[in-house]
Each structure stands twice: as structure tokens, then as C-alpha cells.
Amino acid sequence: MARETSGQGVGEISGHASPGLAHVSNIADLAIVTTNNPAEIEQDWRALEAGGIESPGQSFDFLTQWIASFGIPQSAQLFVVVKDGGLPVLAFALHRTRLWGMKALAAFPGDHVGTNAPLVNLAYMRAMSPAARKALWQKVQGALDGADLAYLCCLPETLGGIDGLFADLGQSVVSDELHRAVFDSWEQCDRLQRTRSRRKHDKQQGAKLAAMGEIGFDIVEQSEDLPEILDCMFRQRNDRFRELGIPDPFNDAAIRRFYAAAFTGGKTLKGRMHVLRLNGEIVATRYNLVHGNRMFCLISGMSTAPKIQPGSPGKQCLLRVMQTEFDGGYAMFDMGAGMTDEKRHWCNEHIVLRHHYLPLTLRGRIFAASHSTYQRFKNIVKSNSRTFAAFKSLRARLKGRR
């Protein structure tokens, strides 16, 4: 059953409403609907989603498929929608779970997506002053209950051109960066992202791969071969994680079932895979979910066979992705968080992400203070290349001993 609260005079909205938006004179006029039944807010959620999403984690299809795939009980679900009259202006979903020994509210997909930002009406948010947005976030936090802490990981510092949109949502600490390629065409992408030496290098690697046999590049949306392609991708991904000496987040039957279902089961979120073959054998893959003209790459796989590494199949696959998709109507290729060489080469947008802590009890406040300090220490280690390399080496040795 949905619960709606309107609150009392928290603060006034200053500034001017955008054309076509109802002007709100007081935060108390906004209604917050909370429910554990997604069907009750689906219409409002999809209305917000029609304005575009920043992450698959904002997709109603993605979230409900995640819940179904993992059998999450309704009692453990919390959907929140903020409305101005009949206009939905904000929505997010949280999992009632246990983290760090506490009752917590956390984003369902966690680090399986680049950002877990709330889904917002950007035009509406632009019409609000910073003080009004602060009052809004205070009201939202006040509507959360039944936990010690709400933990919202990987929220962008800048969203839709609004700096600090989530700055007053609890307390926060820098976590990572989100990397995207955003271009009008392949010609623009090629001109801005590839130097002459880079083009020469790509051509040399392509020649080496071509010398090994026949190259094929396919875009797969619906195919009888999809289960086989997914199995190959997960196998290649597992081989890579094992080489790095780190746990494989996809090495779980439920996770793999979810990705298979999410690929084919959405109304507005659709699967799209890129597959590079050499002599008919899959040597590189990319798993993407598409919403409108935005493409989100969630998983990539590449053969670890030493004999084909000189041809850099992963890089050759990504080159073909860029050549194909930016001339095929797509405007953004989101490559997720965490810097890699391929993101450095291709991405022209780098968005700082922050972890947000919303303490709901004294225990939650104590934990938020300590965990955010730990996160800052991690950032210091990661920002120093020598220290981070030493840490990764130690981690790999410890993993080997276990």
C-alpha cells in the first residue's frame, strides 16, 4: 500500500518555474509517495523516465527485473516518488537489506551500474534554487524509515548541467568517476579523440588481427545464439578476473540469469551486443543496454588466448563500436566507472561520483562518519599510482595464498 506524506513548511522555493511546470511556493506542497509495490508508482516512474535516464539503474524495467531475478520479497522493497500535484519530479528505489551489520537502505544494482542517482525531472530541478533543493533533500530523507542508514553509492556531482544537484543529500565523499563518449557522429569522435599516432597504432593492430584469419563484427539484439554468446562473454570475463587475482562479480548463476533476462525483457530498455569473431570464434564482446539514443556498456569480454593478443581484439571491437554506433543514431556511449586505457582513449566526459550517507539513527551517524573516513583513505591510496600499484600487488599475493 502506498503511503503519501506532504510534510510541514520546510522552506520556500525561490527562482522561476520553467515553462509548462507548475510553480511551487513551498516545499510542504510536494507530496512524497512511498510504497513496496512498484506497480503503484509505475506510471509516474515511466513518465519521468521518458525524459531520459543517466543509468540503467534508473530504468523501471531494469529494477523490476532485478527484483524478480533475485526473488527479493516485497517487504524488502522501497519505491519513493516525489510529486508536485500530478507531476512526478523525483523517483528512486531502495533495497531494505543488511550492510555492515546494520539495517540499511541501498540501491538494488550497487556497482553493476555506473551511477545509482535518483531519477529526476531536470527542468523542474533547474527551476529550484540551491536552498530549495536542500530543503527538498531534507524532506526526502525525513520520509525514509526502518533502517539505520540509507547508502546511495555513486551519485554524480553534476547531472544534466546542474552542479551539486545532490550536494545536500546527506553527507558524501568522492568515490570514482563515470566515463562517457558523447559525440554527434563518428567523424567528430575520430577527429577529437584519435591522434595521428593513435590511428596508426589501431591500423597496425587491425592488420595483425586480420593476418590471423577472417574477422567478423556483429551487432546482436535478438538471436538464437544469444545464450551461447553470453556464456562465452562470462567465461572470458571470468578468465580475466582470475588473471588479475580479484573476485568475479558475474560468477553467480543469479547474476547471469538477470543479465540474460534484462537483455530481452524490457519495454523501454533494450539489449544490444557487439561481437567480434576471428575465424568464426568469439574473441571479444560488449554487453549494452539501450534507452532512447543512449547506450550503456555494462560488461565486456575478451579472449585471453596469448596467440591473438598482438591483434588486441578488445580494442578492435571497441573501434568498430565507435565507428558503427555514432553514425547509427546513438549520441552517448557510457562506459561506466573506473579509469582504463580504453576509457582514456575514447571518453570525452568524465563525471565525478560521490557516495552519499543518510544516517537515520545514532548508529547510522557513527557508521557514516567512520566509513566516509575509510573511503577518503582509499581515495588517497588510489590517487598515488605507486601506492595503488603496491596495494594491488599485495592483494594479488594474498589472493594467491588463499
Side-chain angles (χ1 to χ4, degrees):
M1 179 72 70
R3 178 165 60 90
E4 182 173 312
T5 59
S6 58
Q8 300 302 318
V10 180
E12 292 187 353
I13 292 181
S14 59
H16 303 282
S18 297
L21 295 177
H23 179 69
V24 179
S25 59
N26 198 291
I27 291 291
D29 295 335
L30 298 180
I32 298 182
V33 180
T34 59
T35 180
N36 61 4
N37 182 1
E40 293 181 345
I41 51 83
E42 178 176 1
Q43 183 176 355
D44 290 328
W45 193 293
R46 290 195 183 278
L48 273 174
E49 193 179 321
I53 63 174
E54 299 293 332
S55 165
Q58 295 178 331
S59 161
F60 191 84
D61 293 339
F62 187 97
L63 290 167
T64 52
Q65 187 60 66
W66 185 280
I67 289 166
S69 294
F70 291 94
I72 299 172
Q74 198 169 77
S75 60
Q77 304 170 36
L78 176 63
F79 287 81
V80 181
V81 173
V82 179
K83 301 180 71 172
D84 174 5
L87 178 72
V89 298
L90 166 69
F92 59 99
L94 296 171
H95 183 191
R96 295 188 183 275
T97 186
R98 293 194 69 84
L99 289 176
W100 308 294
M102 295 184 302
K103 292 181 179 179
L105 298 168
F108 285 100
D111 57 8
H112 281 267
V113 295
T115 174
N116 287 290
L119 180 61
V120 300
N121 182 323
L122 287 171
Y124 190 93
M125 292 295 174
R126 290 190 190 100
M128 301 175 74
S129 69
R133 287 199 293 267
K134 180 177 181 177
L136 169 62
W137 295 128
Q138 290 174 341
K139 179 171 181 174
V140 167
Q141 183 168 346
L144 304 178
D145 58 16
D148 295 301
L149 176 79
Y151 176 62
L152 306 180
C153 65
C154 304
L155 271 58
E157 281 192 351
T158 300
L159 185 67
I162 305 175
D163 292 331
L165 176 57
F166 305 112
D168 296 302
L169 184 57
Q171 61 191 76
S172 68
V173 60
V174 171
S175 60
D176 212 324
E177 281 189 325
L178 183 66
H179 307 282
R180 293 170 165 176
V182 182
F183 299 103
D184 295 329
S185 65
W186 160 244
E187 185 277 330
Q188 183 190 45
C189 174
D190 181 44
R191 173 168 45 84
L192 296 178
Q193 293 303 117
R194 293 211 300 169
T195 62
R196 179 180 297 179
S197 62
R198 178 67 192 170
R199 293 190 187 97
K200 180 180 178 181
H201 190 61
D202 287 340
K203 186 175 181 180
Q204 289 172 340
Q205 290 179 331
K208 291 177 182 178
L209 191 64
M212 300 177 196
E214 182 181 354
I215 299 174
F217 178 72
D218 299 318
I219 295 176
V220 177
E221 293 179 332
Q222 300 287 341
S223 170
E224 295 178 355
D225 299 331
L226 182 61
E228 176 187 344
I229 295 170
L230 290 175
D231 285 345
C232 180
M233 178 189 70
F234 285 124
R235 186 171 60 254
Q236 291 174 347
R237 186 78 272 192
N238 185 261
D239 290 342
R240 179 59 175 159
F241 280 119
R242 189 167 56 252
E243 283 187 351
L244 295 173
I246 58 178
D248 180 0
F250 308 106
N251 193 23
D252 179 278
I255 288 285
R256 296 185 180 194
R257 282 197 303 270
F258 162 74
Y259 277 104
F263 195 90
T264 57
K267 294 181 181 178
T268 59
L269 193 69
K270 305 294 184 181
R272 189 174 176 90
M273 283 201 71
H274 301 115
V275 182
L276 185 72
R277 290 182 169 87
L278 179 63
N279 296 323
E281 298 294 324
I282 297 174
V283 293
T285 54
R286 285 192 169 269
Y287 176 108
N288 316 285
L289 293 175
V290 171
H291 189 280
N293 66 351
R294 294 186 157 198
M295 187 177 300
F296 302 89
C297 182
L298 274 64
I299 315 171
S300 63
M302 183 184 72
S303 171
T304 58
K307 64 180 181 180
I308 67 169
Q309 296 314 303
S312 299
K315 292 179 180 179
Q316 287 296 306
C317 182
L318 186 53
L319 173 61
R320 286 164 173 79
V321 171
M322 298 297 176
Q323 291 172 329
T324 303
E325 301 298 18
F326 283 119
D327 277 344
Y330 290 99
M332 185 193 80
F333 188 69
D334 184 298
M335 297 178 68
M339 180 59 79
T340 62
D341 284 343
E342 63 183 21
K343 295 173 187 179
R344 189 177 293 107
H345 291 152
W346 291 110
C347 295
N348 61 334
E349 284 195 1
H350 309 277
I351 304 168
V352 175
L353 301 173
R354 304 183 72 91
H355 293 327
H356 287 248
Y357 306 85
L358 285 67
L360 306 178
T361 66
L362 175 60
R363 188 182 187 186
R365 287 195 292 274
I366 294 172
F367 174 82
S370 61
H371 195 268
S372 59
T373 300
Y374 162 71
Q375 186 66 45
R376 290 186 183 94
F377 172 74
K378 281 180 59 179
N379 291 339
I380 293 172
V381 172
K382 291 173 68 175
S383 64
N384 185 303
S385 58
R386 295 179 66 180
T387 304
F388 191 40
F391 167 76
K392 289 192 291 184
S393 177
L394 175 61
R395 180 180 62 186
R397 288 200 300 269
L398 293 174
K399 174 73 174 177
R401 289 176 185 174
R402 287 197 296 269

